[in-house]
Amino acid sequence: MKLSLSTGALARVRADLLAVAVPTQGLDKSPELKALDKAAKGALKNAAKLEDFTGKAGESLRVNVSGILAKQVLLVGVGEGGKKPRDARTLAYRAAQAASKLGSVAVALSTDDDDSIRAAAEGLRGGAYKYLTYLTGDRVPKRQLETGTLVVTRKDPAAKAALAAGEVLADAIVLARDLVNAPPNDLTPTALAEAAKAASSTFGLDYKQWDKKGLEKLGMNLFLAVNRGSAEEPRMVHLTYKPSGVKGVKKVAFVGKGLTFDSGGLCIKPAGSMIDMKCDMAGAAVTIGIVLAAARLNLPIEIHALFGATENMTGDAAYRPGDVFKSYEGKTVEIINTDAEGRLVLADVLWHAAKLEPDYLIDHATLTGACMVALGPWTAGLFANDDELAKKYLEAAEVEGESYWRLPLNDELRESLRSDVADLKHTGDRHGGSITAALFLREFIGTTKWMHLDIAGPAFLERPHGTSPKGGTGFGIATGVRFLERLAQG
Ligand code: BES
Ligand code: MN
Ligand code: ZN
């Protein structure tokens, strides 16, 4: 979808659908809406009255109109409003969804500060998203939204830059959704690495990869243990973005869990829990998305993005409960449950990233079902060994409308990772499962300032929610990029 900015009277906006935000105070509250309704011969107020549309948040009403250049108007209730830039994102998202069978959509922004314009651009693209790669014949939509217009009061360079930033962000989110939604027979670990390579060459990032032999040379035995039961080669990928012409920049490393399929291994999952496990590489997808967007926005920060990609399968060489492996960092680990594979892959990749000596080390992983039990499907668990980092991240998330909740790295639970035969067991007791997973990861980061984001819930949804579609969501990219932008500002 091509996006643009437009100024001028709403009645003169040409589009198949024009979306406007209506507060509970009604259409008369804003002079722009009043003028629009007048040009439409009172059709908006009439329809609102007839259908009991009162402007409450969540309400919407589609009205056929004449007398203005738009063919239909979508009234979107925003309640008391005032949650910038979230309201702009939601309005645009819902407009794009409502216009999904049309050719053009316009959105009248009631606040057009830079962040609202950026959020609306992101919302429009995000709302138009569909995963169509595998559809054929009459399942292929006849039409796709071609143009999106944001109706604003200014078209200055800052507004244009905000629109462009929203598009960059949406591109990254769409890429992540496509990767997460891709079927695991096609999106193998090598295919995921290739996708990262293709994207990185388009945007001038440095790309490095390790195959099985390379991982063996490094001694990444925990990562390799997970790969043992799979017929597919593993890959570790390292993307680097270095801003040009600036000195003394901060260095941030991101690490992602890239399980292209998680069967549970020998401790196999029941069918109902296995069906969505193509989503287990969402952490890698978010990691790729963040570095790509940051590079395209020319952020003055050095960024390293690493992920470990493998399947967790049950082949005859599969790793077993009771096995002991020596980690890349040096500690030995006793395997307890082969379904707790993510932390093993992360442990080795985290240590590799820690050795780059970043100012901050941040991992994204669909790590534990326990995190969804604790926080529900829409909130990510946030663990950090640095209060400042956690605080800055939560502030960035608030602006982006993504939900995180900080959970404790409870030292008392560390005991449950004690093994009789090795330095560590890799799972703890049943209770506090997300915390013991985080405590395990903490053993492999040295003294780095680190944050672990458990995105098992929000990375992949069974039902659409807010501005997230069903399936892969791209959750985490917007907050990650916002955090980096703010870090660059000091
Ligand atoms: N990939 C799963 C976690 C997951 C569950 C992600 C649901 C998304 C939705 C992870 O590898 C896993 O299986 N974790 C186990 C850990 C347990 C064996 C200690 C879990 O959560 O049950
Ligand atoms: Mn698992
Ligand atoms: Zn997993």
Side-chain angles (χ1 to χ4, degrees), residues 80-294:
E80 302 300 319
K83 261 201 193 155
K84 298 190 294 190
R86 278 190 197 200
D87 282 351
R89 183 183 296 104
T90 307
L91 176 67
Y93 186 89
R94 292 180 58 185
Q97 295 246 295
S100 71
K101 295 204 170 86
L102 308 173
S104 60
V105 63
V107 181
L109 292 186
S110 40
T111 51
D112 61 0
D113 53 291
D114 292 347
D115 278 346
S116 293
I117 292 174
R118 165 168 156 170
E122 182 209 322
L124 266 183
R125 278 266 179 97
Y129 176 78
K130 290 188 190 122
Y131 186 64
L132 304 171
T133 315
Y134 289 84
L135 298 182
T136 69
D138 62 6
R139 292 293 311 279
V140 182
K142 303 270 171 307
R143 221 167 165 197
Q144 282 199 49
L145 250 179
E146 264 153 32
T147 60
T149 308
L150 298 179
V151 189
V152 292
T153 60
R154 63 203 182 88
K155 267 192 189 175
D156 52 30
K160 285 181 187 159
L163 180 84
E167 292 192 271
V168 163
L169 215 54
D171 282 350
I173 291 169
V174 162
L175 173 67
R177 287 179 186 172
D178 279 345
L179 290 172
V180 171
N181 289 329
N185 57 326
D186 280 351
L187 194 87
T188 58
T190 41
L192 180 57
E194 282 306 312
K197 187 178 185 178
S200 65
S201 74
T202 309
F203 299 113
L205 301 181
D206 182 54
Y207 175 89
K208 259 205 299 203
Q209 70 167 31
W210 288 256
D211 59 9
K212 192 167 172 173
K213 275 216 186 80
L215 296 174
E216 278 164 7
K217 261 195 213 137
L218 289 177
M220 290 202 166
N221 301 312
L222 298 184
F223 185 165
L224 288 162
V226 175
N227 178 251
R228 288 177 61 103
S230 168
E232 295 287 339
E233 267 263 333
R235 287 286 184 271
M236 179 168 77
V237 169
H238 180 180
L239 307 174
T240 309
Y241 161 67
K242 282 193 180 148
S244 55
V246 272
K247 287 247 147 38
V249 295
K250 290 236 161 61
K251 194 199 279 191
V252 180
F254 288 90
V255 166
K257 172 176 173 182
L259 266 285
T260 61
F261 188 71
D262 178 13
S263 71
L266 291 178
C267 306
I268 196 162
K269 287 180 185 293
S273 306
M274 207 192 290
I275 177 65
D276 289 334
M277 280 305 131
K278 67 176 184 182
C279 82
D280 217 13
M281 37 56 69
V286 170
T287 300
I288 296 168
I290 289 174
V291 70
L292 285 182

Side-chain angles (χ1 to χ4, degrees), residues 316-402:
D316 53 13
Y319 77 136
R320 322 157 187 81
D323 281 355
V324 173
F325 298 96
K326 192 180 179 79
S327 67
Y328 182 36
E329 187 263 356
K331 294 186 181 97
T332 55
V333 175
E334 181 190 6
I335 303 305
I336 304 300
N337 184 325
T338 63
D339 197 12
E341 82 299 334
R343 63 195 75 181
L344 298 170
V345 174
L346 286 171
D348 282 347
V349 181
L350 278 170
W351 180 239
H352 189 73
K355 289 200 295 179
L356 300 169
E357 298 187 345
D359 292 298
Y360 293 123
L361 174 55
I362 300 171
D363 75 75
H364 287 87
T366 47
L367 203 62
T368 64
C371 197
M372 299 168 74
V373 173
L375 302 176
W378 306 313
T379 299
L382 182 156
F383 298 85
N385 63 5
D386 184 78
D387 292 341
E388 181 74 12
L389 173 59
K391 185 169 163 272
K392 282 192 177 146
Y393 221 80
L394 290 168
E395 282 166 8
E398 176 67 27
V399 177
E400 294 302 330
E402 291 188 326

